Amino acid sequence: MAHMEKTYYIILTLIISIMLFSCKTHRIDKRYFNRVPYVGNEILVFKSSENDKDTIFLKGTETFKMVSHYLFVGNEQFYRINCDCADPYSPTRIFKDQPFVSLNAAVDGKTYISIRAILRNAYFRGAHFTIEEFDDIPLKTIKIENKVYTDVKIVEAKKRQNDQNFALRFYWSVSEGFLGLDKENLEWRLTEKYVP
């Protein structure tokens, strides 16, 4: 009986290994990388409607594969820019190496873009789209201080959250990236973007 269990374990291990190593890797189409207008080492400075300041420090890019959880049918490719940013609940605490924006080629054949919009006392949940959904968001024009942006996607929250730090919308420029977000009584806007 013990021999049979050992044989079963070996066969099962072999089948799982074959499934893992024969998985197709779903790759991000190169034309989608232009949806992320960052090199990965920029510093983004924001100012609030209450004259507070906050800064997001981009910490480089990474590309990696992960085995899909859909019964090992393929590897998903991820491209991500991480950042250091303020904890929206604590003005003195910094989140280190947090995902800021990412692309993901998934096993369903679609590529997704996710944006994690976090500033002091404000964050936006649910910024996760297929590339097609993201591209379908209409472009608007907004002015921040003396600069006019004509390629801005305004993303509204799908539902209100019972959280005082939850943002109602965020702004994304096709050419410049994250421009800010709005809460009920607070606005954050990008005032400076530079490479140190």
Side-chain angles (χ1 to χ4, degrees):
M1 191 68 155
H3 177 69
M4 212 164 137
E5 285 180 15
K6 187 175 180 182
T7 303
Y8 174 77
Y9 177 77
I10 291 170
I11 291 171
L12 183 61
T13 303
L14 184 61
I15 290 170
I16 290 173
S17 297
I18 289 169
M19 290 173 74
L20 282 173
F21 292 109
S22 65
C23 292
K24 176 184 176 190
T25 297
H26 300 268
R27 298 191 186 285
I28 300 167
D29 189 311
K30 289 184 179 176
R31 64 192 162 135
Y32 295 151
F33 284 94
N34 68 0
R35 304 314 192 277
V36 183
Y38 295 107
V39 175
N41 61 346
E42 293 89 343
I43 294 175
L44 313 176
V45 181
F46 296 84
K47 184 178 174 185
S48 80
S49 53
E50 296 176 350
N51 284 321
D52 290 324
K53 289 194 173 181
D54 196 4
T55 305
I56 294 176
F57 300 88
L58 302 190
K59 304 300 282 186
T61 65
E62 61 179 329
T63 304
F64 56 94
K65 292 186 291 187
M66 289 180 65
V67 175
S68 167
H69 57 280
Y70 299 108
L71 297 174
F72 309 115
V73 296
N75 290 319
E76 298 185 0
Q77 183 184 27
F78 290 82
Y79 169 79
R80 184 166 67 198
I81 295 179
N82 294 323
C83 72
D84 292 348
C85 59
D87 178 342
Y89 294 95
S90 172
T92 59
R93 186 173 157 209
I94 299 294
F95 284 147
K96 297 281 191 184
D97 297 319
Q98 296 296 303
F100 176 59
V101 60
S102 63
L103 296 172
N104 163 222
V107 295
D108 63 6
K110 297 178 181 174
T111 299
Y112 294 86
I113 183 168
S114 300
I115 300 163
R116 191 163 186 230
I118 297 177
L119 290 165
R120 190 156 36 109
N121 301 320
Y123 70 93
F124 188 91
R125 282 188 186 148
H128 180 75
F129 312 92
T130 66
I131 288 293
E132 293 76 20
E133 290 169 335
F134 186 71
D135 289 348
D136 285 345
I137 299 170
L139 299 180
K140 308 277 186 178
T141 298
I142 67 168
K143 184 177 181 182
I144 300 175
E145 295 183 340
N146 294 323
K147 187 165 182 179
V148 176
Y149 299 87
T150 60
D151 61 350
V152 180
K153 295 177 181 288
I154 301 173
V155 179
E156 300 283 341
K158 292 182 180 162
K159 62 179 184 176
R160 284 176 141 350
Q161 300 284 328
N162 246 351
D163 186 329
Q164 65 178 2
N165 289 340
F166 179 70
L168 302 173
R169 73 193 54 82
F170 81 91
Y171 301 85
W172 185 270
S173 162
V174 172
S175 60
E176 296 294 324
F178 183 45
L179 297 180
L181 44 74
D182 295 344
K183 282 176 38 178
E184 193 79 48
N185 299 309
L186 181 69
E187 296 178 353
W188 282 100
R189 295 294 181 267
L190 180 74
T191 58
E192 193 176 0
K193 173 182 171 181
Y194 66 94
V195 175

